[in-house]
Amino acid sequence: MNLYAFELGRKKELCLAELLSVLGEKNLLEKNMDTAIFKLKESQEKNIQSLQDSLGGTIKIVKIFKTAQKNQIKDIVKEYLEENFKDRTGKINFSLTILNQKFPDKILIKNLLISSKKILKELGLNSRFVNQNFGNTKPSTIYKARVIEKGVDINIIYSDKTIYIGNTVAIQDIDSYSLRDFNRPKRDALVGMLPPKLAQVMINLAVPEAKDKTTIYDPFCGTGVIPMEGLLLGYDVIGSDIDQRMVEYTTENCDWLIKNFRPKNSPSFRIFKNDAKFLTKNLLPENITAIVTEGYLGPALTKYPLEEEQEKIFRELSNLHLNWLKQVHELTNKNLRIVMCLTGFKKNTSITHFPRFKELATFAGYKIEDTYSYDREDQIVIRDIVILTKI
Ligand SMILES: C[S@@+](CC[C@H](N)C(=O)[O-])C[C@H]1O[C@@H](n2cnc3c(N)ncnc32)[C@H](O)[C@@H]1O
């Protein structure tokens, strides 16, 4: 079993939770500032890019080939390059990344880049450094310069116990995410701004250690980002929305996804019009594994709402959430997991979270397993991601 470091995305706790859900807690070796180190099964190692493509919260995956003390790093990198590049031809794109250091050690990067260029030269290879000004290379630069295919991205990963050295073996496919986000046939700026990466994280939190027969349901599907990402992961999906236009948008987007991405397991989808407060067994006959939904977040806002407006929005949303959660409780089996978003409001660094949701959830028959905040700098309305199970 080899060790792999997963570089965590912006919301570290949420990204780690996704990994724990997909890979299992028992396989976690350690967690540091930027990375989580896991043991992987052979089947996962074999399909490492498809594992990466299923993880919205992981920036890249690094295969660890050695642990070291600081004074051994240079020799280990030399050994790695000599061993792995002796039979290579053509120009090599080369980059270095230091992880888990708040201010990456520029002197170390500079020394390693210079010595590595020399080693590659001795092997008869011209190389291009992707790093700029001896800082870390941005993952998007590694992706665009196709460093994994055309050379190597070496990672020096600091941890409390040791220094891990590894090479990047998979990286977030930014073009594919942006295609699904910006080039799907139907978008609606007022309704659907859920990033596909976040939809993936939410689905992974709802389906621990991915089961084969999985059906997920989004009762507020909007333009269909969650159904689309569910299909891409190979799950059957059901979606509904109160607005017929959204039903049509999601249907068209899901058709597009299947045609263009050909997901594994040939998953199916069904989308229908419905007010989530009035769900019946006739409308939802399937055995649902998980409910994953952004939910309704309240009216679109252009400025920070006054306290009375916030209270009004929270009151209306409480009524909606209580009703649909109760309906779902009656119609699903006891192992159901729900991952949903709760509205919050953000002003500068202060966040007002959804009030009294714990009481509401308990009253509807659920326990809150975890909550993660997902806010962005420029947003007034933020999402808290909540995981619920049935009591
Ligand atoms: C924030 S949007 C969801 C966006 C979605 N995640 C997407 O990918 O586009 C909320 C959606 O909830 C729907 N909605 C609002 N109230 C509803 C209700 N009572 N029942 C069902 N859908 C509702 C709206 O029509 C809207 O499409």
Side-chain angles (χ1 to χ4, degrees):
M1 257 191 189
N2 290 305
L3 294 184
Y4 289 80
F6 291 72
E7 187 181 349
L8 305 167
R10 191 174 57 90
K11 289 284 170 187
K12 310 280 180 211
E13 292 308 317
L14 180 65
C15 300
L16 176 65
E18 179 191 41
L19 284 169
L20 291 172
S21 180
V22 172
L23 302 175
E25 284 189 33
K26 62 180 186 305
N27 295 314
L28 174 70
L29 206 75
E30 59 177 295
K31 143 90 173 75
N32 308 100
M33 186 173 78
D34 305 320
T35 56
I37 300 198
F38 281 88
K39 292 177 274 186
L40 291 190
K41 294 188 207 120
E42 215 176 293
S43 58
Q44 292 166 323
E45 291 190 68
K46 269 196 199 143
N47 296 305
I48 200 79
Q49 185 62 46
S50 72
L51 176 64
Q52 167 72 66
D53 292 340
S54 71
L55 295 167
T58 292
I59 296 173
K60 67 182 191 188
I61 306 176
V62 177
K63 183 173 183 182
I64 311 278
F65 55 76
K66 266 279 193 317
T67 55
Q69 301 297 315
K70 192 168 176 201
N71 60 2
Q72 300 170 316
I73 296 175
K74 198 170 148 192
D75 286 340
I76 291 170
V77 172
K78 178 173 188 278
E79 223 173 82
Y80 174 85
L81 291 175
E82 285 173 348
E83 179 60 30
N84 289 277
F85 286 86
K86 58 179 189 293
D87 300 325
R88 282 284 277 265
T89 52
K91 196 164 178 178
I92 303 297
N93 284 355
F94 181 84
S95 77
L96 269 166
T97 310
I98 300 189
L99 293 166
N100 301 327
Q101 270 191 339
K102 207 163 182 195
F103 303 103
D105 182 346
K106 285 197 168 192
I107 296 172
L108 177 63
I109 296 181
K110 184 172 180 178
N111 288 340
L112 283 174
L113 284 174
I114 292 169
S115 64
S116 302
K117 193 167 180 90
K118 199 167 146 243
I119 295 156
L120 291 168
K121 188 104 205 141
E122 282 164 11
L123 294 171
L125 295 166
N126 278 333
S127 56
R128 177 190 150 212
F129 293 158
V130 178
N131 297 56
Q132 282 183 353
N133 302 324
F134 304 109
N136 269 347
T137 323
K138 279 202 261 163
S140 57
T141 310
I142 297 171
Y143 173 83
K144 282 187 202 132
R146 302 192 49 224
V147 174
I148 300 178
E149 296 88 348
K150 293 186 170 179
V152 65
D153 173 44
I154 300 256
N155 294 262
I156 314 296
I157 304 168
Y158 280 82
S159 91
D160 299 338
K161 299 179 191 160
T162 184
I163 301 171
Y164 296 97
I165 307 182
N167 59 309
T168 301
V169 286
I171 195 156
Q172 208 160 58
D173 184 341
I174 42 183
D175 288 331
S176 178
Y177 282 108
S178 112
L179 188 68
R180 273 135 56 204
D181 201 358
F182 304 109
N183 294 88
R184 61 181 188 267
K186 297 293 182 194
R187 275 175 65 79
D188 184 318
L190 281 182
V191 172
M193 300 300 279
L194 186 76
K197 279 186 216 169
L198 180 58
Q200 266 187 341
V201 171
M202 290 172 67
I203 296 169
N204 284 327
L205 289 173
V207 189
E209 299 194 41
K211 294 172 196 69
D212 261 357
K213 275 221 92 31
T214 293
T215 304
I216 61 171
Y217 173 46
D218 180 354
F220 301 85
C221 65
T223 63
V225 176
I226 289 170
M228 285 166 73
E229 295 304 314
L231 289 169
L232 196 63
L233 292 172
Y235 302 146
D236 290 335
V237 301
I238 318 280
S240 60
D241 200 285
I242 200 166
D243 182 346
Q244 178 59 29
R245 195 171 58 104
M246 291 302 131
V247 172
E248 281 151 27
Y249 277 21
T250 295
T251 306
E252 193 172 334
N253 283 340
C254 287
D255 275 330
W256 175 84
L257 184 113
I258 289 185
K259 191 160 155 256
N260 289 280
F261 287 81
R262 303 191 177 283
K264 61 170 187 201
N265 304 344
S266 311
S268 65
F269 69 91
R270 182 172 73 83
I271 313 296
F272 58 96
K273 180 172 183 273
N274 186 52
D275 181 336
K277 297 196 291 300
F278 306 107
L279 194 63
T280 61
K281 195 72 203 165
N282 286 346
L283 289 166
L284 195 68
E286 292 87 351
N287 201 356
I288 303 292
T289 317
I291 292 191
V292 184
T293 188
E294 187 181 12
Y296 175 58
L297 299 173
L301 300 174
T302 48
K303 59 180 191 351
Y304 189 78
L306 298 172
E307 214 172 302
E308 309 87 84
E309 289 173 73
Q310 290 185 24
E311 277 169 20
K312 183 168 174 278
I313 295 170
F314 284 139
R315 235 184 352 265
E316 284 168 10
L317 290 177
S318 292
N319 181 39
L320 173 64
H321 290 321
L322 180 64
N323 280 294
W324 79 262
L325 284 169
K326 271 165 65 182
Q327 294 290 316
V328 160
H329 197 280
E330 276 178 32
L331 298 171
T332 51
N333 68 39
K334 66 174 186 351
N335 301 324
L336 180 86
R337 277 170 86 82
I338 300 182
V339 177
M340 62 181 282
C341 298
L342 284 181
T343 306
F345 297 110
K346 183 174 168 189
K347 192 175 195 182
N348 304 323
T349 52
S350 126
I351 295 180
T352 307
H353 296 278
F354 199 97
R356 297 176 295 281
F357 186 72
K358 189 165 177 238
E359 289 93 313
L360 186 156
T362 313
F363 191 63
Y366 301 90
K367 181 168 122 206
I368 299 181
E369 296 288 342
D370 273 309
T371 306
Y372 302 93
S373 195
Y374 184 88
D375 57 298
R376 282 178 166 177
E377 243 173 54
D378 48 342
Q379 285 177 328
I380 300 169
V381 178
I382 61 109
R383 308 172 181 90
D384 280 325
I385 293 159
V386 195
I387 306 176
L388 301 176
T389 51
K390 281 184 166 185
I391 296 170

